[in-house]
Amino acid sequence: MRRSLLLFAVLVAAPLAQAQDGPFSHVGAHVGIGTTGPTVGVVTNLTGRVNVRLSGSMFSEDYLQPIGIDIDSNQELDGTEFNLDNEIDFQQVGVLVDVFAFSGVRLTGGVFFADRNVASTLRATEDVTEGGRTFTPDEVGTLRVEGTLGSSVSPYLGLGFGNAVGTNRGPVRLFAEVGGYFNGSPDITLVAEDPESVIAPSANPDNEAALEERLDWFTFYPEVAVGLSLKFN
């Protein structure tokens, strides 16, 4: 009789346990900081070893950089006769799948949808002498650099630690992750505000290609992130 009751209890409890721990039965959130800026996301379980995440990050910065430039050769020199006003604006949202191997260690794969925009404005701050002639800042003119660093869709692969919706720890957990984005090649455009200015000839396809080559390191961009997660249920 006891064996029959035990078997009955097991048969009844098993489906209930599966229902409680079935797909989307646990929900959590995470916040952190990484090489792409502040990170936030939500996570839920698909199985006991597989989670799905929606994760986003953003980074924005403006900074002024005094530099020297030889207008004829377009080579950077020591000096401060130009100001380079740089603007960086990164925003991305990704759909990720975490597969857990053991003890919270996970392999992560997914795709990010991103806007990674860069812009720079080059202006002379003092008279510039080129080829024996001296030009005022207004005569030198302004050169605008605009571009995107990679494609708007970037595959992602990473290795991390921490399960936001695991059942064997408290609600607040630490997570860490290293990985990389496969972004594709940058696309740069040069625009002279005044086509009659001294600097206008620098806005040409050869210089655009040279800048794209200098930024080619962004084709693969590493990610290192740490943070905290909170399990809701």
Side-chain angles (χ1 to χ4, degrees):
M1 184 67 175
R2 288 182 178 177
R3 289 185 178 179
S4 299
L5 290 174
L6 180 60
L7 179 60
F8 176 77
V10 169
L11 291 175
V12 171
L16 291 176
Q18 290 177 357
Q20 292 174 354
D21 294 324
F24 314 115
S25 57
H26 301 293
V27 178
H30 65 79
V31 295
I33 187 71
T35 51
T36 56
T39 314
V40 296
V42 293
V43 56
T44 187
N45 63 304
L46 292 180
T47 71
R49 289 185 175 272
V50 179
N51 293 345
V52 62
R53 276 192 289 151
L54 183 67
S55 182
S57 63
M58 62 184 300
F59 174 79
S60 181
E61 184 178 4
D62 296 345
Y63 63 97
L64 200 63
Q65 179 184 359
I67 62 171
I69 291 180
D70 185 321
I71 296 178
D72 290 335
S73 64
N74 295 302
Q75 297 297 312
E76 186 173 338
L77 305 173
D78 291 334
T80 59
E81 63 267 28
F82 286 88
N83 271 343
L84 189 61
D85 188 1
N86 299 296
E87 305 166 33
I88 302 173
D89 186 15
F90 290 179
Q91 302 176 28
Q92 60 180 21
V93 175
V95 179
L96 304 169
V97 175
D98 299 324
V99 179
F100 291 86
F102 55 90
S103 300
V105 177
R106 53 181 164 79
L107 180 66
T108 298
V111 61
F112 277 85
F113 304 92
D115 284 324
R116 302 185 183 98
N117 301 311
V118 293
S120 297
T121 303
L122 183 68
R123 296 185 180 92
T125 59
E126 57 189 71
D127 290 351
V128 176
T129 300
E130 292 290 341
R133 295 184 58 190
T134 300
F135 302 95
T136 67
D138 288 341
E139 291 173 324
V140 173
T142 301
L143 186 67
R144 179 78 174 170
V145 183
E146 300 175 345
T148 57
L149 296 182
S151 169
S152 60
V153 179
S154 299
Y156 175 84
L157 188 64
L159 183 67
F161 175 84
N163 186 352
V165 293
T167 58
N168 58 345
R169 289 185 176 88
V172 179
R173 300 122 188 250
L174 178 69
F175 80 86
E177 186 167 338
V178 295
Y181 304 89
F182 301 87
N183 296 320
S185 300
D187 183 19
I188 299 297
T189 301
L190 294 173
V191 179
E193 292 188 358
D194 181 1
E196 302 300 324
S197 63
V198 174
I199 207 170
S202 298
N204 61 65
D206 288 341
N207 285 337
E208 290 174 348
L211 281 174
E212 289 170 352
E213 185 175 353
R214 291 182 63 178
L215 293 170
D216 201 48
W217 57 269
F218 200 83
T219 299
F220 174 82
Y221 188 74
E223 169 74 305
V224 179
V226 295
L228 295 174
S229 63
L230 175 65
K231 182 182 177 184
F232 297 126
N233 68 336

